[in-house]
């Protein structure tokens, strides 16, 4: 905010009553939260490749066509007759940058060949006929132009729909010299092709580095060491962090404030001893608490040393006091962590309060369910339901963990008519992924596919279904609640709330 604006704001604050100032501050805070939430939602929306391409068509195509139009107004060589096929071809390039017609050389060649074939057809009919009425295109001329265009583009393997448009437009150039029209097509299509190459190489193919947040972040990992699978979970978090040069792992142990660092049993023991130990009880309790905290730290340090040696990632340890979820999220913020990896916990067939609390936070989180002593995961199966930021994050995590192994990205469909869109979505999802990544579309229920294929993999990665409505979760429970019989490790990923 500028200095005059700051002074005005301070003056307004000084004249307002206390209650009005509080309301003003609250309204400004809400506005900031809404703005951050909207920006976060837009960022996640644009991370879907289809949305990104639509946005590029809306903004880049008009900019390119406007620039070519500007040149046509200042350079007589460029004819406005080429713009209909040029706009159509430009849309084809930007709407499907990895498709069949997204080759810039083919784009220029096809439009140029079409215009040249139209010029040849027009010249041939003038030579071999007595001519015709002015402004009237002879049927044989149009037929010859299309025939030549189809023949040449087929033989040269530069077939494109826009070529036939430029061939026909060459027949109605009017006062524009046909040769000038052909030169216009070559120049204008070359300009569009150059702009497309820059856009694709510098923006589209590098979109993961500045659009997909997990590619840039999620390298500082907090691991609450809990339960029987705390060590396996720590290795899982370390493998994720080790994939980034700036990665680190923070191992966390949590003590309850109601029982003290020594735990509930120590607290109960103090109650039972009563007055017999009251004389030196305070000092004895402090010493025992300190000893217990030291034991926790030594245990974490031992695990951290193992991770540093076997995974090669920096490790820190921390012991926090408080309610489990609150202490975990506070420790993550204090340690500048952007990902929480917690052991998978259940309570009467549903996620435990701790896991649900971590999933409800503003940080990305993974609940890791370990069924083996595995410390490395080279065969990873990723199940995606729809394109979006969650799918990109799961694929990114899978490629980090595989370490050069195989990642299989799969989606399940209900009917054969869904196969083509599903294949397109998967192809776009894995375009930016590194390593060996295969895609698979399975026509079967998700549970049946998992039961038939999960045993062939080291790890199954699925989403938390956090974007589903409560009604849909009631009718059809999330997939991860039906994985009791899966004989491979499972990672349930949840995107942090904005």
């Amino acid at each position: 905010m500028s200095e005059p604006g700051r002074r005005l704001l301070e003056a307004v604050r000084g004249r307002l009553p206390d209650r009005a100032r509080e309301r003003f501050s609250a309204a400004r805070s809400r506005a900031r939260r809404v703005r951050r939430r909207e920006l976060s939602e837009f960022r996640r929306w644009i991370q879907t490749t289809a949305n990104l391409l639509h946005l590029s068509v809306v903004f880049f195509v008009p900019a390119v066509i406007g620039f070519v139009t500007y040149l046509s107004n200042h350079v007589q060589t460029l004819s406005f007759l080429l713009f209909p096929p040029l706009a159509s071809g430009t849309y084809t390039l930007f709407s499907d940058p990895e498709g069949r017609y997204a080759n810039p050389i083919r784009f220029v060649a096809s439009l140029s060949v079409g215009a040249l074939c139209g010029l040849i057809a027009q010249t041939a009919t003038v030579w071999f006929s007595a001519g015709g009425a002015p402004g009237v295109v002879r049927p044989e001329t149009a037929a010859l132009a299309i025939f030549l265009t189809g023949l040449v583009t087929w033989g040269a393997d530069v077939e494109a729909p826009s070529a036939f448009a430029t061939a026909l437009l060459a027949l109605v150039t009017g006062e524009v010299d046909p040769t000038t029209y052909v030169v216009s097509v070559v120049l204008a299509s070359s300009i569009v092709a150059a702009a497309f190459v820059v856009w694709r190489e510098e923006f589209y193919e590098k979109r993961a580095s500045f659009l997909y947040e997990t590619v840039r972040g999620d390298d500082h990992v907090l691991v609450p060491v809990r339960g029987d699978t705390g060590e396996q979970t720590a290795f899982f978090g370390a493998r994720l962090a080790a994939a980034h040069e700036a990665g680190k792992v923070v191992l966390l142990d949590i003590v309850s404030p109601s029982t003290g660092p020594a735990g509930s049993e120590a607290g109960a023991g103090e109650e039972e001893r009563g007055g017999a130990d009251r004389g030196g009880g305070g000092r004895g309790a402090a010493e025992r608490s300190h000893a217990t905290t030291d034991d926790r730290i030594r245990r974490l340090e031992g695990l951290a040393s193992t991770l540093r040696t076997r995974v090669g990632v920096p490790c820190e340890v921390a012991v926090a006091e408080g309610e489990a979820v609150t202490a975990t999220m506070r420790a993550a913020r204090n340690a500048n962590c952007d990902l929480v990896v917690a052991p998978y916990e259940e309570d009467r067939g549903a996620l435990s309060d701790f896991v649900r609390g971590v999933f409800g936070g503003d940080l990305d989180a993974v609940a890791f369910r370990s069924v083996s002593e595995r410390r490395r995961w080279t065969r990873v199966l990723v199940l995606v339901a729809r394109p979006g930021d969650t799918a990109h994050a799961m694929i990114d995590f899978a490629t980090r963990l595989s370490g050069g192994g195989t990642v299989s990205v799969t989606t399940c469909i209900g009917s054969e008519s869904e196969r083509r869109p599903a294949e397109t979505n998967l192809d776009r999802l894995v375009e930016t992924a590194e390593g060996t990544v295969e895609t698979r579309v399975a026509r079967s229920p998700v549970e049946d596919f998992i039961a038939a294929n999960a045993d062939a993999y080291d790890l199954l990665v699925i989403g938390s279904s956090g974007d589903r409505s409560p009604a849909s979760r009631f009718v059809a429970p999330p997939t991860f609640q039906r994985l009791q019989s899966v004989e491979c490790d499972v990672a349930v990923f949840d995107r942090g709330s904005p």
Side-chain angles (χ1 to χ4, degrees):
M1 181 182 296
S2 64
E3 187 63 27
R6 187 179 293 107
R7 291 179 180 176
L8 177 61
L9 182 60
E10 292 176 354
V12 172
R13 286 177 177 175
R15 294 178 181 178
L16 290 174
D18 292 342
R19 181 172 295 179
R21 282 201 299 269
E22 292 177 359
R23 291 178 178 176
F24 176 77
S25 299
R28 189 175 60 172
S29 299
R30 284 195 298 270
R32 288 177 177 174
R33 287 196 298 270
V34 170
R35 183 179 62 180
R36 287 196 299 267
R37 184 168 60 250
E38 293 299 326
L39 288 175
S40 179
E41 289 296 331
F42 174 75
R43 185 170 57 248
R44 294 189 178 185
W45 177 84
I46 202 175
Q47 287 176 355
T48 301
T49 302
N51 296 333
L52 175 64
L53 292 178
H54 283 304
L55 203 64
S56 298
V57 168
V58 170
F59 288 100
F60 280 94
V61 173
V64 172
I65 296 300
F67 177 70
V68 177
T69 304
Y70 171 80
L71 291 181
S72 70
N73 293 332
H74 292 77
V75 180
Q76 296 300 321
T77 304
L78 295 178
S79 170
F80 192 79
L81 287 172
L82 66 92
F83 282 85
L86 186 68
S88 174
T90 305
Y91 171 82
T92 302
L93 286 177
F94 283 89
S95 64
D96 190 10
E98 301 294 339
R100 175 185 177 186
Y101 301 112
N103 186 314
I105 297 177
R106 172 179 288 184
F107 171 76
V108 176
S110 61
L111 266 67
S112 303
V113 165
L116 184 61
C117 290
L119 175 61
I120 293 173
Q122 185 182 47
T123 304
T125 52
V126 170
W127 282 354
F128 295 102
S129 67
V136 177
V137 178
R138 298 171 63 89
E140 58 270 24
T141 305
L144 180 60
I146 295 299
F147 171 75
L148 292 176
T149 302
L151 191 64
V152 174
T153 54
W154 179 25
D157 194 25
V158 292
E159 289 180 288
S162 300
F164 298 92
T166 56
L168 289 179
L169 284 175
L171 309 181
V172 293
T173 54
E175 298 179 357
V176 178
D177 180 60
T179 304
T180 302
Y181 172 73
V182 174
V183 175
S184 299
V185 171
V186 175
L187 292 178
S189 60
S190 299
I191 294 173
V192 171
F196 169 73
V197 169
V198 172
W199 172 83
R200 187 174 64 178
E201 298 294 331
E202 299 300 326
F203 176 75
Y204 181 76
E205 293 186 351
K206 296 180 180 179
R207 63 192 185 278
S209 61
F210 51 86
L211 280 183
Y212 305 148
E213 296 173 353
T214 56
V215 177
R216 295 178 286 109
D218 288 346
D219 50 5
H220 292 180
V221 181
L222 178 77
V223 180
V225 182
R226 297 165 54 95
D228 297 333
T229 61
E231 183 174 341
Q232 293 94 316
T233 306
F235 267 91
F236 181 87
R239 297 290 180 192
L240 285 175
H244 285 178
E245 293 183 0
K248 75 170 183 179
V249 176
V250 179
L251 303 179
L252 175 68
D253 200 347
I254 304 172
V255 295
S256 172
S258 61
T259 59
S264 58
E265 295 179 0
E270 290 299 320
E271 292 287 339
E272 293 173 0
R273 278 189 287 273
D277 290 340
R278 291 186 188 277
R283 184 177 60 184
E287 291 175 352
R288 284 189 295 273
S289 299
H290 180 70
T292 305
T293 303
D294 287 345
D295 290 341
R296 292 174 180 267
I297 294 176
R298 279 194 294 270
R299 181 170 63 90
L300 293 181
E301 285 288 3
L303 179 56
S305 177
T306 303
L307 295 178
R308 296 187 194 103
T309 302
R310 297 185 58 179
V311 183
V313 63
C315 287
E316 301 174 3
V317 299
V319 176
E321 181 179 356
E323 191 274 329
V325 175
T326 303
T328 298
M329 304 312 292
R330 182 173 63 247
R333 288 189 291 268
N334 293 340
N336 194 30
C337 293
D338 42 23
L339 175 67
V340 177
V341 176
Y344 181 86
E345 299 175 359
E346 287 188 353
D347 182 13
R348 294 187 292 272
L351 290 178
S352 67
D353 292 340
F354 174 73
V355 176
R356 285 192 285 111
V358 171
F359 278 1
D362 56 354
L363 299 178
D364 293 347
V366 174
F368 177 68
R369 175 179 176 266
S370 177
V371 296
S372 66
E373 298 296 324
R374 187 175 286 110
R375 300 292 187 271
R376 188 181 294 273
W377 300 266
T378 57
R379 296 171 300 167
V380 184
L381 173 63
V382 182
L383 279 180
V384 298
R386 63 187 64 85
D389 58 323
T390 299
H392 283 292
M394 292 193 297
I395 295 172
D396 176 53
F397 288 161
T399 54
R400 289 198 218 176
L401 290 166
S402 66
T406 300
V407 175
S408 178
V409 182
T410 303
T411 190
C412 294
I413 59 175
S415 63
E416 199 62 28
S417 61
E418 302 174 12
R419 182 172 297 276
R420 183 63 61 84
E423 290 175 345
T424 300
N425 288 333
L426 289 184
D427 289 342
R428 289 174 173 175
L429 282 174
V430 304
E431 279 175 357
T432 58
E434 299 180 357
T436 303
V437 182
E438 63 180 11
T439 60
R440 183 175 179 181
V441 177
R443 186 181 174 182
S444 66
V446 176
E447 298 83 355
D448 295 345
F449 178 83
I450 293 175
N453 295 274
D455 294 351
Y457 294 90
D458 301 330
L459 176 70
L460 169 64
V461 181
I462 59 176
S464 67
S465 301
D467 56 349
R468 290 174 54 184
S469 67
S472 68
R473 287 194 293 270
F474 176 78
V475 174
T479 303
F480 63 82
Q481 293 184 4
R482 294 170 280 177
L483 298 177
Q484 303 300 326
S485 60
V486 175
E487 294 300 326
C488 72
D489 295 343
V490 179
V492 183
F493 175 74
D494 183 82
R495 203 77 168 93
S497 303

